């Protein structure tokens, strides 16, 4: 899928590269990332530091349902970039 190519990669510290929106850290952005973030928001799972970094799609200082929505819009090709 072309959506895997359009997600922004960035470095977090010197130890790893991150793909914005790749909450499950699989190396691609897909529906599993939206699901993982939704589970974290209702305290059904806990995100580690790396996951929290890539989950904050909007960079507004919060991780919330708006970040999930952006991932879903990206996957539906409604928005072009995360």
């Amino acid at each position: 899928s072309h959506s895997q190519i359009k997600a922004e990669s960035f470095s977090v510290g010197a130890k790893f590269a991150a793909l914005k929106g790749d909450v499950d850290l699989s190396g691609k952005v897909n529906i599993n990332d939206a699901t993982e973030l939704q589970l974290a928001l209702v305290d059904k799972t806990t995100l580690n530091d790396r996951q929290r970094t890539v989950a904050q799609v909007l960079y507004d200082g919060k991780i919330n349902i708006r970040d999930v929505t952006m991932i879903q819009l990206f996957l539906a090709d409604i928005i072009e970039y995360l």
Side-chain angles (χ1 to χ4, degrees):
S1 162
H2 70 278
S3 55
Q4 294 172 8
I5 297 168
K6 293 181 183 175
E8 177 183 332
S9 292
F10 58 96
S11 293
V12 179
K15 297 194 179 208
F16 63 88
L19 184 64
K20 188 165 39 166
D22 181 20
V23 181
D24 69 356
L25 305 177
S26 66
K28 59 189 173 197
V29 178
N30 59 34
I31 195 62
N32 296 331
D33 299 300
T35 301
E36 184 78 11
L37 186 49
Q38 287 171 319
L39 290 171
L41 291 174
V42 295
D43 296 323
K44 297 293 183 188
T45 190
T46 303
L47 301 179
N48 63 34
D49 289 342
R50 184 174 177 186
Q51 289 174 299
R52 282 191 297 276
T53 299
V54 298
Q56 196 175 141
V57 176
L58 291 175
Y59 295 116
D60 60 359
K62 301 175 244 177
I63 298 172
N64 57 38
I65 197 65
R66 294 178 65 210
D67 297 295
V68 174
T69 300
M70 293 301 291
I71 292 170
Q72 291 169 328
L73 291 172
F74 174 69
L75 294 172
D77 290 324
I78 294 171
I79 60 172
E80 193 169 343
Y81 298 99
L82 284 179

